[in-house]
Amino acid sequence: MAWNEPGNNDKDPWKNKGGKNQGPPDLDDLFKDLGNKFGGIFGGNSSNGGKASKNFSSIGISIALIVAVLVYVFSGFYTIKEAEQGIVLRFGQYTGNVEPGLRWKWTFIDKVIPVDIQTTRNLPASGFMLTQDENVVRVEMQIQYRVVNARNYIFSVTNADDSLSQSLDSALRYVVGHAKMDDVLTSGREVVRQAVWKELEEIIEPYNLGLIVVDVNFKDARPPEEVKDAFDDAISAQEDEVRYLREAEAYARGIEPRARGRVKRMEQEALAYKEQIVLDAEGDVAKFNKLLPEYQAAPVVTRERMYLATMEKVYANTSKVMVDVDGGNNMMYLPLDKIIQNQSSQSNSVTLQPNIQQPISNSSSTTTNSNRADRFNSGRN
Protein backbone atom coordinates (compact mmCIF):
# COMPACT_ATOMS: atom_id res chain seq x y z
CA MET A 1 0.00 0.00 0.00
CA ALA A 2 1.42 3.38 -0.92
CA TRP A 3 1.98 5.81 1.87
CA ASN A 4 -0.40 8.32 0.45
CA GLU A 5 -3.28 5.94 -0.25
CA PRO A 6 -6.46 6.10 1.86
CA GLY A 7 -6.36 4.07 5.06
CA ASN A 8 -2.61 4.67 5.67
CA ASN A 9 -3.31 6.96 8.61
CA ASP A 10 -1.96 9.86 6.66
CA LYS A 11 1.64 8.92 7.43
CA ASP A 12 4.53 9.34 5.08
CA PRO A 13 8.31 8.66 5.24
CA TRP A 14 9.03 12.31 5.78
CA LYS A 15 7.19 12.34 9.17
CA ASN A 16 4.47 14.56 7.88
CA LYS A 17 1.36 13.58 9.71
CA GLY A 18 -1.98 14.33 8.24
CA GLY A 19 -0.42 14.77 4.82
CA LYS A 20 -0.76 18.49 4.96
CA ASN A 21 2.94 19.20 4.39
CA GLN A 22 4.07 17.25 1.28
CA GLY A 23 7.57 18.90 0.98
CA PRO A 24 10.99 17.14 1.49
CA PRO A 25 12.29 16.52 5.05
CA ASP A 26 14.66 18.85 6.84
CA LEU A 27 18.29 17.89 6.05
CA ASP A 28 19.54 19.14 9.41
CA ASP A 29 17.27 16.73 11.22
CA LEU A 30 18.35 13.88 8.97
CA PHE A 31 22.09 14.42 9.56
CA LYS A 32 21.45 14.86 13.27
CA ASP A 33 19.78 11.46 13.49
CA LEU A 34 22.69 9.82 11.63
CA GLY A 35 25.21 11.52 13.93
CA ASN A 36 23.46 10.24 17.01
CA LYS A 37 23.50 6.68 15.69
CA PHE A 38 27.25 6.65 14.84
CA GLY A 39 28.19 8.74 17.88
CA GLY A 40 27.11 5.92 20.13
CA ILE A 41 29.70 3.62 18.58
CA PHE A 42 32.68 5.98 19.12
CA GLY A 43 31.65 7.27 22.53
CA GLY A 44 29.25 10.05 21.62
CA ASN A 45 25.98 10.78 23.37
CA SER A 46 23.52 8.00 22.75
CA SER A 47 20.27 6.94 24.14
CA ASN A 48 21.93 4.12 26.12
CA GLY A 49 24.96 6.25 27.37
CA GLY A 50 27.16 5.02 30.20
CA LYS A 51 30.48 3.40 30.85
CA ALA A 52 30.10 0.65 28.26
CA SER A 53 29.85 3.20 25.50
CA LYS A 54 33.08 4.91 26.60
CA ASN A 55 35.05 1.62 26.66
CA PHE A 56 33.77 0.68 23.26
CA SER A 57 34.81 4.09 21.91
CA SER A 58 38.40 3.73 23.27
CA ILE A 59 38.82 0.30 21.65
CA GLY A 60 37.66 1.65 18.27
CA ILE A 61 40.12 4.52 18.38
CA SER A 62 43.00 2.19 19.28
CA ILE A 63 42.17 -0.20 16.45
CA ALA A 64 42.01 2.68 13.98
CA LEU A 65 45.38 3.99 15.15
CA ILE A 66 47.01 0.52 14.90
CA VAL A 67 45.62 0.02 11.41
CA ALA A 68 46.88 3.42 10.33
CA VAL A 69 50.38 2.70 11.71
CA LEU A 70 50.53 -0.69 9.97
CA VAL A 71 49.43 0.83 6.68
CA TYR A 72 52.06 3.56 6.99
CA VAL A 73 54.82 1.10 7.85
CA PHE A 74 54.02 -1.32 5.04
CA SER A 75 53.64 1.49 2.54
CA GLY A 76 57.27 2.46 3.12
CA PHE A 77 58.79 -0.81 1.81
CA TYR A 78 60.12 -0.80 -1.74
CA THR A 79 62.53 -2.84 -3.90
CA ILE A 80 65.48 -1.72 -5.99
CA LYS A 81 66.27 -4.16 -8.83
CA GLU A 82 69.70 -5.64 -9.35
CA ALA A 83 70.49 -3.49 -12.39
CA GLU A 84 69.24 -0.29 -10.74
CA GLN A 85 70.39 2.28 -8.24
CA GLY A 86 68.00 4.38 -6.17
CA ILE A 87 68.14 8.17 -5.74
CA VAL A 88 66.70 9.22 -2.36
CA LEU A 89 65.02 12.62 -2.01
CA ARG A 90 63.90 13.90 1.42
CA PHE A 91 61.45 16.74 1.11
CA GLY A 92 62.74 17.14 -2.48
CA GLN A 93 66.42 17.38 -1.50
CA TYR A 94 68.99 14.78 -2.57
CA THR A 95 70.23 12.74 0.40
CA GLY A 96 72.05 9.77 -1.16
CA ASN A 97 71.89 6.59 -3.20
CA VAL A 98 70.60 3.15 -2.24
CA GLU A 99 71.84 -0.16 -3.58
CA PRO A 100 69.70 -3.00 -4.97
CA GLY A 101 67.52 -4.94 -2.51
CA LEU A 102 64.51 -4.53 -0.23
CA ARG A 103 64.47 -1.06 1.37
CA TRP A 104 62.22 1.13 3.53
CA LYS A 105 61.50 4.81 3.35
CA TRP A 106 59.45 7.38 5.19
CA THR A 107 56.22 7.66 3.28
CA PHE A 108 55.26 11.22 2.31
CA ILE A 109 58.75 12.32 3.45
CA ASP A 110 61.22 10.40 1.27
CA LYS A 111 60.99 9.76 -2.45
CA VAL A 112 63.09 7.14 -4.25
CA ILE A 113 63.80 7.35 -7.99
CA PRO A 114 65.20 4.06 -9.45
CA VAL A 115 67.77 4.45 -12.26
CA ASP A 116 68.97 1.61 -14.49
CA ILE A 117 72.79 1.78 -14.52
CA GLN A 118 73.69 -1.54 -16.18
CA THR A 119 71.55 -1.82 -19.29
CA THR A 120 73.20 -0.65 -22.52
CA ARG A 121 70.86 1.65 -24.41
CA ASN A 122 70.71 2.48 -28.12
CA LEU A 123 70.26 5.92 -29.62
CA PRO A 124 69.89 6.36 -33.41
CA ALA A 125 70.60 9.47 -35.46
CA SER A 126 70.04 10.06 -39.17
CA GLY A 127 69.33 12.78 -41.71
CA PHE A 128 70.44 14.52 -44.90
CA MET A 129 73.68 16.41 -44.39
CA LEU A 130 75.89 18.68 -46.46
CA THR A 131 79.51 17.61 -46.95
CA GLN A 132 82.62 19.73 -47.34
CA ASP A 133 82.53 19.46 -51.15
CA GLU A 134 78.89 20.67 -51.17
CA ASN A 135 77.22 17.31 -51.76
CA VAL A 136 74.20 15.99 -49.90
CA VAL A 137 74.33 12.54 -48.31
CA ARG A 138 72.01 10.68 -45.99
CA VAL A 139 73.85 9.30 -42.95
CA GLU A 140 72.53 6.82 -40.39
CA MET A 141 74.43 6.26 -37.16
CA GLN A 142 73.66 4.57 -33.86
CA ILE A 143 75.41 4.85 -30.50
CA GLN A 144 75.33 2.61 -27.46
CA TYR A 145 75.56 4.17 -24.01
CA ARG A 146 74.78 3.49 -20.36
CA VAL A 147 74.44 5.41 -17.09
CA VAL A 148 77.50 5.61 -14.85
CA ASN A 149 76.37 8.30 -12.40
CA ALA A 150 72.71 8.16 -11.38
CA ARG A 151 72.71 11.54 -9.60
CA ASN A 152 74.13 13.43 -12.59
CA TYR A 153 71.79 11.56 -14.90
CA ILE A 154 68.75 12.80 -12.94
CA PHE A 155 69.76 16.29 -11.80
CA SER A 156 72.45 17.68 -14.18
CA VAL A 157 70.03 18.39 -17.01
CA THR A 158 66.30 18.21 -17.50
CA ASN A 159 66.46 15.13 -19.74
CA ALA A 160 69.83 13.46 -20.18
CA ASP A 161 68.67 11.16 -23.00
CA ASP A 162 67.32 14.07 -25.02
CA SER A 163 70.49 16.09 -24.40
CA LEU A 164 72.58 13.16 -25.62
CA SER A 165 70.42 12.85 -28.74
CA GLN A 166 70.90 16.53 -29.59
CA SER A 167 74.64 16.27 -28.94
CA LEU A 168 74.89 13.26 -31.25
CA ASP A 169 73.09 15.07 -34.04
CA SER A 170 75.36 18.10 -33.62
CA ALA A 171 78.55 16.01 -33.61
CA LEU A 172 77.45 13.99 -36.64
CA ARG A 173 76.61 17.05 -38.70
CA TYR A 174 79.85 18.75 -37.71
CA VAL A 175 82.01 15.79 -38.75
CA VAL A 176 80.14 15.14 -42.00
CA GLY A 177 80.27 18.85 -42.83
CA HIS A 178 84.07 18.75 -42.58
CA ALA A 179 84.49 15.56 -44.64
CA LYS A 180 84.29 14.87 -48.36
CA MET A 181 81.49 12.84 -49.83
CA ASP A 182 83.75 10.03 -51.09
CA ASP A 183 85.21 9.61 -47.61
CA VAL A 184 81.75 9.39 -46.05
CA LEU A 185 80.47 6.89 -48.61
CA THR A 186 83.49 4.65 -49.13
CA SER A 187 87.00 4.69 -47.74
CA GLY A 188 86.67 7.16 -44.87
CA ARG A 189 83.80 5.58 -42.95
CA GLU A 190 85.99 4.43 -40.06
CA VAL A 191 87.62 7.86 -39.82
CA VAL A 192 84.18 9.51 -39.70
CA ARG A 193 83.02 7.09 -37.01
CA GLN A 194 86.01 7.78 -34.79
CA ALA A 195 85.67 11.53 -35.34
CA VAL A 196 81.98 11.49 -34.36
CA TRP A 197 82.78 9.51 -31.21
CA LYS A 198 85.49 11.96 -30.17
CA GLU A 199 83.38 15.05 -30.96
CA LEU A 200 80.39 13.65 -29.04
CA GLU A 201 82.45 13.04 -25.90
CA GLU A 202 83.83 16.56 -26.07
CA ILE A 203 80.30 18.01 -26.34
CA ILE A 204 78.73 16.11 -23.42
CA GLU A 205 81.70 16.38 -21.05
CA PRO A 206 80.88 19.89 -19.65
CA TYR A 207 77.25 18.95 -18.95
CA ASN A 208 78.07 15.99 -16.63
CA LEU A 209 75.22 13.90 -17.98
CA GLY A 210 76.32 10.84 -16.02
CA LEU A 211 76.49 8.85 -19.28
CA ILE A 212 79.29 7.02 -21.05
CA VAL A 213 79.34 6.20 -24.77
CA VAL A 214 80.17 2.52 -25.19
CA ASP A 215 80.25 2.27 -28.99
CA VAL A 216 79.41 4.17 -32.16
CA ASN A 217 78.10 2.27 -35.18
CA PHE A 218 78.16 3.76 -38.67
CA LYS A 219 75.13 1.98 -40.11
CA ASP A 220 74.68 3.49 -43.56
CA ALA A 221 75.62 6.41 -45.77
CA ARG A 222 74.14 6.89 -49.17
CA PRO A 223 73.46 9.70 -51.63
CA PRO A 224 69.97 10.99 -52.42
CA GLU A 225 67.75 8.69 -54.46
CA GLU A 226 67.88 11.03 -57.47
CA VAL A 227 71.60 10.37 -58.02
CA LYS A 228 71.86 6.93 -56.44
CA ASP A 229 72.50 5.09 -59.75
CA ALA A 230 75.43 7.34 -60.66
CA PHE A 231 76.97 6.90 -57.22
CA ASP A 232 76.51 3.15 -57.42
CA ASP A 233 78.44 3.12 -60.70
CA ALA A 234 81.21 5.22 -59.16
CA ILE A 235 81.48 2.93 -56.14
CA SER A 236 81.48 -0.13 -58.41
CA ALA A 237 84.31 1.39 -60.44
CA GLN A 238 86.32 2.04 -57.29
CA GLU A 239 85.77 -1.52 -56.13
CA ASP A 240 86.89 -2.80 -59.55
CA GLU A 241 89.99 -0.64 -59.28
CA VAL A 242 90.86 -2.14 -55.91
CA ARG A 243 90.20 -5.64 -57.22
CA TYR A 244 92.42 -5.12 -60.28
CA LEU A 245 95.19 -3.77 -58.07
CA ARG A 246 94.96 -6.84 -55.86
CA GLU A 247 95.02 -9.14 -58.88
CA ALA A 248 98.04 -7.31 -60.31
CA GLU A 249 99.86 -7.59 -57.00
CA ALA A 250 99.06 -11.30 -56.84
CA TYR A 251 100.28 -11.77 -60.42
CA ALA A 252 103.48 -9.87 -59.63
CA ARG A 253 104.06 -11.98 -56.55
CA GLY A 254 103.59 -15.10 -58.70
CA ILE A 255 105.77 -13.98 -61.62
CA GLU A 256 108.68 -12.60 -59.66
CA PRO A 257 109.74 -15.88 -57.99
CA ARG A 258 109.60 -17.71 -61.33
CA ALA A 259 111.68 -15.00 -62.98
CA ARG A 260 114.21 -15.16 -60.19
CA GLY A 261 114.31 -18.94 -60.59
CA ARG A 262 114.99 -18.63 -64.31
CA VAL A 263 117.71 -16.07 -63.65
CA LYS A 264 119.31 -18.40 -61.14
CA ARG A 265 119.12 -21.32 -63.56
CA MET A 266 120.66 -19.25 -66.36
CA GLU A 267 123.45 -18.17 -64.03
CA GLN A 268 124.15 -21.77 -63.13
CA GLU A 269 124.10 -22.81 -66.78
CA ALA A 270 126.46 -19.96 -67.66
CA LEU A 271 128.82 -20.98 -64.90
CA ALA A 272 128.65 -24.59 -66.06
CA TYR A 273 129.31 -23.56 -69.67
CA LYS A 274 132.20 -21.40 -68.56
CA GLU A 275 133.62 -24.27 -66.57
CA GLN A 276 133.17 -26.60 -69.54
CA ILE A 277 134.92 -24.24 -71.96
CA VAL A 278 137.77 -23.70 -69.54
CA LEU A 279 138.19 -27.42 -69.02
CA ASP A 280 138.05 -28.09 -72.79
CA ALA A 281 140.65 -25.42 -73.39
CA GLU A 282 142.86 -26.85 -70.67
CA GLY A 283 142.41 -30.31 -72.24
CA ASP A 284 143.37 -28.98 -75.68
CA VAL A 285 146.43 -27.29 -74.18
CA ALA A 286 147.43 -30.50 -72.40
CA LYS A 287 146.87 -32.47 -75.61
CA PHE A 288 149.00 -29.98 -77.58
CA ASN A 289 151.72 -30.16 -74.94
CA LYS A 290 151.74 -33.94 -75.27
CA LEU A 291 151.71 -33.81 -79.07
CA LEU A 292 154.45 -31.21 -79.49
CA PRO A 293 157.37 -33.45 -78.47
CA GLU A 294 156.11 -36.19 -80.82
CA TYR A 295 155.85 -33.73 -83.67
CA GLN A 296 159.31 -32.41 -83.03
CA ALA A 297 160.67 -35.95 -83.02
CA ALA A 298 158.92 -37.10 -86.26
CA PRO A 299 157.23 -34.23 -88.08
CA VAL A 300 156.22 -36.13 -91.23
CA VAL A 301 154.71 -39.10 -89.48
CA THR A 302 152.94 -36.97 -86.94
CA ARG A 303 151.54 -34.69 -89.63
CA GLU A 304 150.24 -37.60 -91.64
CA ARG A 305 148.68 -39.20 -88.57
CA MET A 306 146.98 -35.96 -87.60
CA TYR A 307 145.71 -35.57 -91.16
CA LEU A 308 144.25 -39.07 -91.21
CA ALA A 309 142.62 -38.65 -87.80
CA THR A 310 141.06 -35.41 -88.91
CA MET A 311 139.74 -36.84 -92.16
CA GLU A 312 138.37 -39.83 -90.29
CA LYS A 313 136.33 -37.52 -88.10
CA VAL A 314 135.13 -35.53 -91.10
CA TYR A 315 134.08 -38.54 -93.20
CA ALA A 316 132.43 -40.21 -90.22
CA ASN A 317 129.66 -37.59 -90.35
CA THR A 318 128.88 -37.84 -94.09
CA SER A 319 127.09 -40.44 -96.19
CA LYS A 320 129.29 -39.88 -99.23
CA VAL A 321 132.12 -42.29 -99.85
CA MET A 322 135.19 -41.49 -101.97
CA VAL A 323 136.87 -44.48 -103.64
CA ASP A 324 140.48 -43.97 -104.67
CA VAL A 325 141.53 -46.38 -107.43
CA ASP A 326 145.10 -46.75 -108.57
CA GLY A 327 145.54 -46.12 -112.26
CA GLY A 328 141.92 -45.13 -112.74
CA ASN A 329 139.42 -42.40 -112.11
CA ASN A 330 138.34 -41.60 -108.59
CA MET A 331 134.76 -42.64 -107.87
CA MET A 332 132.23 -41.21 -105.42
CA TYR A 333 129.04 -43.09 -104.60
CA LEU A 334 126.17 -42.71 -102.17
CA PRO A 335 125.30 -45.73 -99.94
CA LEU A 336 121.50 -45.79 -100.12
CA ASP A 337 120.98 -48.10 -97.15
CA LYS A 338 122.87 -45.76 -94.82
CA ILE A 339 121.05 -42.68 -96.13
CA ILE A 340 117.63 -44.31 -95.68
CA GLN A 341 118.51 -45.42 -92.17
CA ASN A 342 119.67 -41.94 -91.15
CA GLN A 343 116.68 -40.19 -92.66
CA SER A 344 114.14 -42.62 -91.14
CA SER A 345 115.54 -41.93 -87.71
CA GLN A 346 115.15 -38.18 -88.16
CA SER A 347 111.68 -37.99 -89.79
CA ASN A 348 108.77 -40.20 -90.76
CA SER A 349 108.62 -39.06 -94.39
CA VAL A 350 111.66 -39.72 -96.56
CA THR A 351 112.12 -38.54 -100.14
CA LEU A 352 114.45 -40.77 -102.09
CA GLN A 353 116.51 -39.56 -105.04
CA PRO A 354 118.54 -41.86 -107.40
CA ASN A 355 122.23 -41.94 -106.66
CA ILE A 356 124.42 -41.51 -109.70
CA GLN A 357 128.01 -42.53 -109.64
CA GLN A 358 129.83 -39.80 -111.45
CA PRO A 359 133.34 -40.41 -112.68
CA ILE A 360 135.64 -37.52 -112.17
CA SER A 361 137.15 -36.97 -115.56
CA ASN A 362 138.70 -33.63 -114.92
CA SER A 363 142.43 -33.83 -115.45
CA SER A 364 143.20 -31.51 -112.58
CA SER A 365 141.04 -33.59 -110.21
CA THR A 366 142.77 -36.75 -111.39
CA THR A 367 146.13 -35.26 -110.73
CA THR A 368 145.08 -34.10 -107.21
CA ASN A 369 143.61 -37.48 -106.28
CA SER A 370 146.68 -39.22 -107.66
CA ASN A 371 148.89 -37.09 -105.52
CA ARG A 372 146.62 -37.77 -102.45
CA ALA A 373 146.85 -41.53 -103.20
CA ASP A 374 150.63 -41.27 -103.25
CA ARG A 375 150.52 -39.54 -99.90
CA PHE A 376 148.24 -42.28 -98.50
CA ASN A 377 150.65 -44.89 -99.81
CA SER A 378 153.64 -43.10 -98.37
CA GLY A 379 151.82 -42.82 -95.07
CA ARG A 380 151.08 -46.53 -94.98
CA ASN A 381 154.65 -47.36 -95.92
Side-chain angles (χ1 to χ4, degrees):
M1 178 182 294
W3 63 270
N4 57 355
E5 289 184 358
N8 201 21
N9 297 325
D10 296 331
K11 294 181 180 180
D12 58 38
W14 312 114
K15 308 298 182 181
N16 294 324
K17 296 181 180 181
K20 295 181 179 179
N21 187 8
Q22 301 297 325
D26 191 358
L27 293 178
D28 293 337
D29 296 337
L30 180 61
F31 286 121
K32 185 176 180 181
D33 293 338
L34 293 176
N36 292 331
K37 292 179 180 179
F38 288 102
I41 298 176
F42 296 101
N45 294 326
S46 64
S47 59
N48 293 329
K51 186 176 180 180
S53 297
K54 293 181 179 180
N55 293 334
F56 185 76
S57 176
S58 300
I59 293 173
I61 294 174
S62 300
I63 293 174
L65 292 175
I66 292 173
V67 171
V69 170
L70 291 176
V71 171
Y72 183 82
V73 170
F74 281 103
S75 66
F77 287 100
Y78 65 95
T79 302
I80 299 296
K81 298 180 181 179
E82 184 178 358
E84 296 178 343
Q85 189 177 59
I87 304 297
V88 181
L89 303 179
R90 181 162 296 169
F91 297 110
Q93 183 179 4
Y94 172 78
T95 58
N97 299 344
V98 291
E99 298 300 326
L102 181 62
R103 305 290 176 177
W104 186 84
K105 65 180 177 63
W106 295 98
T107 306
F108 307 120
I109 297 176
D110 292 344
K111 180 181 179 181
V112 179
I113 304 175
V115 179
D116 191 343
I117 61 174
Q118 293 186 5
T119 302
T120 300
R121 312 177 188 186
N122 297 324
L123 180 63
S126 62
F128 288 98
M129 303 175 191
L130 188 66
T131 60
Q132 184 180 9
D133 48 359
E134 297 182 356
N135 289 306
V136 178
V137 295
R138 177 175 177 81
V139 180
E140 295 182 5
M141 188 167 288
Q142 185 181 49
I143 67 171
Q144 297 178 350
Y145 69 98
R146 59 184 177 86
V147 180
V148 293
N149 191 315
R151 179 181 179 181
N152 292 341
Y153 177 74
I154 296 296
F155 298 112
S156 292
V157 293
T158 304
N159 190 330
D161 295 326
D162 184 65
S163 298
L164 181 63
S165 176
Q166 296 180 15
S167 300
L168 174 59
D169 188 72
S170 176
L172 182 59
R173 292 183 181 276
Y174 175 81
V175 173
V176 173
H178 288 78
K180 294 184 178 180
M181 181 185 61
D182 292 338
D183 296 336
V184 176
L185 297 179
T186 56
S187 60
R189 294 170 60 91
E190 180 62 23
V191 177
V192 172
R193 187 183 75 88
Q194 294 292 341
V196 170
W197 194 342
K198 180 179 179 182
E199 185 67 22
L200 177 61
E201 290 180 343
E202 292 179 355
I203 292 176
I204 65 176
E205 183 179 1
Y207 295 97
N208 295 324
L209 299 180
L211 302 174
I212 181 174
V213 179
V214 178
D215 193 12
V216 177
N217 298 322
F218 200 153
K219 297 182 63 176
D220 190 17
R222 59 182 183 274
E225 294 295 334
E226 292 78 7
V227 294
K228 184 176 182 301
D229 294 337
F231 276 95
D232 290 342
D233 293 340
I235 293 174
S236 177
Q238 292 178 355
E239 293 176 351
D240 291 340
E241 179 185 4
V242 174
R243 179 169 57 85
Y244 292 148
L245 289 176
R246 297 292 182 268
E247 291 177 355
E249 292 175 356
Y251 178 75
R253 285 193 294 266
I255 289 296
E256 185 177 358
R258 290 196 294 266
R260 293 182 182 277
R262 287 196 297 268
V263 169
K264 195 69 175 178
R265 179 169 55 84
M266 294 174 65
E267 290 179 353
Q268 297 296 331
E269 291 177 353
L271 293 175
Y273 178 74
K274 174 184 176 182
E275 196 71 19
Q276 178 184 358
I277 295 299
V278 171
L279 294 176
D280 290 343
E282 292 178 351
D284 292 339
V285 171
K287 180 179 178 182
F288 179 79
N289 291 333
K290 294 291 185 181
L291 187 61
L292 181 60
E294 300 294 333
Y295 181 80
Q296 292 176 349
V300 177
V301 175
T302 303
R303 185 167 50 250
E304 290 295 334
R305 183 168 59 82
M306 292 174 61
Y307 174 77
L308 293 176
T310 303
M311 295 305 296
E312 183 179 2
K313 292 180 180 180
V314 171
Y315 283 114
N317 296 325
T318 182
S319 59
K320 298 178 181 180
V321 178
M322 181 71 68
V323 179
D324 192 1
V325 181
D326 293 338
N329 295 329
N330 295 332
M331 302 292 293
M332 182 180 66
Y333 75 94
L334 302 177
L336 296 179
D337 54 346
K338 298 294 182 181
I339 294 176
I340 294 173
Q341 183 178 358
N342 293 334
Q343 290 183 352
S344 62
S345 62
Q346 295 178 359
S347 62
N348 294 328
S349 60
V350 178
T351 303
L352 299 179
Q353 294 180 359
N355 297 328
I356 302 175
Q357 295 181 354
Q358 298 178 355
I360 301 174
S361 59
N362 193 309
S363 58
S364 60
S365 299
T366 303
T367 304
T368 303
N369 293 331
S370 177
N371 294 333
R372 185 176 299 171
D374 294 340
R375 288 165 59 189
F376 286 161
N377 294 329
S378 63
R380 286 192 295 269
N381 293 331

